[in-house]
């Protein structure tokens, strides 16, 4: 028996909370949440019985008479139900499971963490919890869930079925995914029994579009080493790399699903599930591009330039423990390729102009001058202006020009990246659009702001990298900083552009565009 009467009692959910993250996305319930919910986004549900009996301060989001009934919630209204060490207290536990099951959407999850009969004192024996009504082992819950699901006309996939008896655990964890019941298909599938890959690696990357493209650079090397690769990211990250053939599985979590101050503990728990855990979060931003408020953000300029002037992709490869190779790539779907080709003008020289990035210093104030000169001197050039909806401001005045196609806010990020992939040239500040075509053969013109050539474009092919020159007297470039405001980013008072962008005149971009 693992359980000891001298062990701390309560807070059982904390022992598995970091393992159930992929099954507790969206809106869901923490039944019998007690004095604290497992995660802030859970809806805490409790009867507050322990407050009445023992004075435990419980303030759930929803107080119920009993967790056996969930009349406050509509059928199929929840993405998940999480319950830790509660079911064994309920006399008619099958009825409770049926109640919990009916509020879960198809595709949602029931996550159960229960004391194991072989690891915890059984009902009526010394040390047993006097309120326990049942002693369970995993097969008991499988049997009950078979009856519950059959009565509801649904099926399930058992994704996790673990006996957890190490350390101070004396329980088992099960995760059921609710499924449609289709004739001729197994209604109840034990997917947890599928053979595991021999070598597993998890690459964790939360970040923007360009960050995900940079992270993709290490994936081919991991595949060559024989790893089954899981990519841990957000829905936005998955959107960028969803067709990358080097990703075997996804670990998706929503933004802020795990609070920032808990991420280290979450990563530590997940690292035990893989042969290699590669954490690329803040591998560039926060490290080689300091964030406001961090100590390295305020280092003297010469120290930042000496210590942070490292190539982003080489640094990422070192962190991943793989040899460097220039292999980042965006993979469009056939439908996206077709849409991109249809948008490009046949017989013209199609330039995709990425108007702005995610930071205030990532826009170029000479766009209008460049386009106007090209309209006069390069009659075959067509510009496709891309960016988010805010970039509509930068497009103003070009709406009626037939050779300028104003697309900001109209394309998805994937359609934007696909359009860039099949264009004749891509132009813009250092954004995800430029990163996505770094190793494509087409010519690129990039206007660097906070990064150096060594940082970003050292290995890029067919690229004209434009930077402020010594004669421009822009002493702040490269700053190696992320800027979320103008407090530490010097700006031109007339245009509002960062000095590093203002200093790169339109003639500097026209020449490589003309040559292309």
């Amino acid at each position: 028996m693992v359980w000891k009467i001298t062990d701390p009692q309560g807070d059982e959910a904390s022992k598995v909370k970091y393992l159930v993250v992929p099954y507790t996305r969206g809106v869901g319930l923490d039944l019998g949440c007690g004095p604290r919910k497992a995660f802030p986004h859970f809806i805490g549900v409790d009867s507050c019985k322990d407050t009445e009996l023992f004075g435990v301060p419980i303030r759930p989001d929803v107080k119920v008479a009993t967790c056996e009934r969930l009349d406050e919630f509509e059928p199929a209204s929840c993405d998940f139900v999480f319950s830790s060490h509660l079911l064994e207290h309920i006399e008619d536990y099958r009825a409770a499971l049926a109640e919990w099951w009916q509020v879960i959407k198809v595709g949602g999850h029931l996550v159960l963490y229960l004391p194991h009969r072989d690891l915890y004192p059984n009902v009526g024996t010394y040390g047993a919890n006097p309120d326990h009504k049942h002693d369970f082992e995993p097969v008991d819950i499988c049997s009950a869930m078979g009856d519950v699901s059959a009565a509801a006309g649904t099926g399930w996939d058992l994704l996790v079925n673990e006996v957890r008896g190490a350390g101070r655990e004396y329980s088992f964890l099960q995760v059921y995914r609710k499924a449609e019941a289709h004739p001729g298909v197994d209604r109840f599938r034990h997917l947890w029994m599928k053979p595991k890959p021999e070598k597993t690696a998890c690459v964790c990357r939360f970040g923007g579009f360009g960050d995900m493209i940079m992270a993709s650079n290490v994936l081919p090397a991991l595949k060559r080493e024989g790893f089954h690769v899981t990519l841990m990211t957000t829905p936005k990250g998955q959107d960028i790399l969803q067709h990358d053939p080097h990703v075997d599985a996804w670990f998706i979590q929503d933004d802020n699903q795990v609070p920032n101050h808990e991420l280290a503990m979450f990563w530590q728990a997940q690292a035990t599930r893989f042969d290699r855990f590669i954490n690329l979060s803040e591998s560039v931003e926060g490290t080689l591009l300091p964030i406001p408020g961090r100590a390295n953000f305020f280092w003297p300029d010469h120290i930042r330039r000496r210590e942070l002037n490292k190539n982003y992709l080489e640094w990422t490869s070192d962190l991943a423990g793989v040899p460097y190779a220039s292999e980042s790539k965006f993979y469009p779907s056939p439908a996206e390729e077709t849409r991109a080709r249809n948008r490009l003008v046949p017989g013209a020289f199609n330039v995709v102009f990425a108007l702005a990035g995610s930071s205030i210093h990532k826009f170029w104030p000479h766009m209008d001058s460049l386009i106007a000169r090209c309209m006069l001197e390069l009659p075959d050039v067509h510009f496709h202006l891309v960016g988010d909806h805010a970039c509509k401001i930068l497009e103003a005045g070009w709406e009626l020009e037939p050779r300028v196609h104003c697309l900001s806010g109209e394309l998805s990020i994937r359609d934007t990246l696909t359009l860039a992939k099949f264009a004749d040239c891509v132009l813009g500040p250092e954004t995800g659009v430029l990163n996505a075509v770094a190793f494509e053969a087409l010519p690129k013109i990039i206007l660097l702001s906070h990064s150096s050539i060594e940082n970003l474009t050292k290995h890029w092919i067919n690229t004209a990298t434009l930077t402020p020159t010594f004669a421009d007297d822009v002493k702040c470039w490269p700053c190696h900083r992320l800027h979320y405001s103008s407090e530490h980013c010097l700006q031109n008072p007339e245009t509002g552009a960062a000095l590093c962008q203002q200093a790169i005149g339109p003639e500097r971009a026209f020449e490589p565009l003309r040559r292309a």
Side-chain angles (χ1 to χ4, degrees), residues 27-53:
V27 177
L29 311 180
D30 186 344
L31 299 181
C33 62
R36 66 184 68 85
K37 299 184 293 185
F39 286 111
H41 72 286
F42 287 16
I43 299 173
V45 180
D46 205 293
S47 66
C48 299
K49 179 180 177 181
D50 284 354
T51 300
E52 300 167 8
L53 294 178

Side-chain angles (χ1 to χ4, degrees), residues 475-476 483 486-492 497-500:
K475 296 182 173 60
C476 56
H483 296 286
S486 60
E487 183 179 1
H488 299 284
C489 182
L490 300 178
Q491 295 180 302
N492 179 277
L499 288 186
C500 58

Side-chain angles (χ1 to χ4, degrees), residues 57-356:
I58 300 175
R59 297 179 179 85
D61 299 309
V62 178
K63 182 178 179 180
V64 294
T66 172
C67 288
E68 298 172 53
R69 299 291 305 171
L70 298 177
D71 297 330
E72 294 81 0
F73 302 95
E74 294 290 329
S77 60
C78 296
D79 296 298
F80 65 89
V81 167
F82 172 72
S83 170
S84 171
H85 282 240
L86 172 63
L87 194 65
E88 70 275 13
H89 294 269
I90 298 174
E91 190 70 53
D92 192 350
Y93 69 91
R94 288 173 177 258
L97 286 172
E99 183 77 1
W100 302 352
W101 192 242
Q102 63 94 22
V103 303
I104 299 172
K105 302 173 184 177
V106 170
H109 299 93
L110 174 62
V111 182
L112 301 172
Y113 186 54
L114 298 167
H116 195 296
R117 65 184 304 160
D118 295 337
L119 305 176
Y120 185 82
N122 288 184
V123 172
T125 65
Y126 174 73
N129 188 315
D131 193 51
H132 281 191
K133 309 295 191 300
H134 306 281
D135 302 309
F136 292 128
E137 58 183 334
V139 68
D140 299 326
I141 306 302
C142 287
S143 174
M145 284 300 298
D147 295 340
V148 165
S149 190
T154 62
W156 48 251
D157 299 327
L158 184 55
L159 305 180
V160 178
N161 189 29
E162 294 181 0
V163 175
R164 301 191 57 81
R168 288 178 171 172
E169 288 189 78
Y170 43 85
S171 306
F172 63 95
L173 175 66
Q174 291 188 329
V175 179
Y176 295 87
R177 181 173 58 202
K178 193 171 187 177
E180 299 276 8
H182 299 293
V185 178
D186 291 339
R187 172 170 280 180
F188 310 126
R189 299 188 299 178
H190 289 258
L191 299 186
W192 66 277
M193 298 180 67
K194 291 177 63 175
K196 300 295 188 294
E198 290 186 8
K199 289 176 63 178
T200 60
C202 180
V203 177
C204 175
R205 189 62 168 105
F206 308 141
F209 305 135
D211 298 323
M212 296 309 301
I213 293 293
M214 281 195 257
S216 75
N217 199 65
V218 306
L219 303 180
L222 290 170
K223 293 302 297 179
R224 285 192 291 272
E225 292 184 17
F227 284 100
H228 177 278
V229 176
T230 296
L231 188 61
M232 178 186 292
T233 187
T234 62
K236 289 182 180 179
Q238 183 183 34
D239 187 37
I240 298 300
L241 300 186
Q242 62 178 287
H243 297 301
D244 192 313
H246 306 100
V247 179
D248 299 301
W250 297 92
F251 186 128
I252 305 301
Q253 60 187 98
D254 297 323
D255 291 334
N256 301 315
Q257 185 181 345
V258 178
N260 283 343
H261 68 277
E262 296 189 63
L263 281 173
M265 292 177 288
F266 163 70
W267 287 325
Q268 184 179 16
Q270 288 299 328
T272 65
R273 319 287 272 190
F274 299 92
D275 297 313
R276 186 184 295 183
F277 187 81
I278 301 166
N279 190 352
L280 300 182
S281 291
E282 295 196 5
S283 54
V284 174
E285 84 290 355
T287 302
L288 300 182
L289 282 172
I291 298 171
R294 302 281 182 86
N296 54 353
F297 188 89
F298 299 101
W299 286 350
D301 290 349
H302 73 283
I303 298 295
R304 284 201 316 279
R305 288 171 183 153
R306 185 187 71 196
E307 299 299 326
L308 306 182
N309 193 36
K310 300 174 182 177
N311 184 258
Y312 298 150
L313 293 182
E314 291 177 3
W315 168 251
T316 301
S317 293
D318 283 346
L319 197 57
V322 297
Y324 174 75
S326 299
E327 298 184 279
S328 62
K329 187 175 182 179
F330 171 71
Y331 293 88
S333 69
E336 289 164 342
E337 290 187 13
T338 298
R339 287 197 297 271
R341 294 182 189 278
N342 288 340
R343 285 191 179 97
L344 298 174
V345 180
F349 188 84
N350 292 276
V351 178
V352 167
F353 196 149
L355 298 185

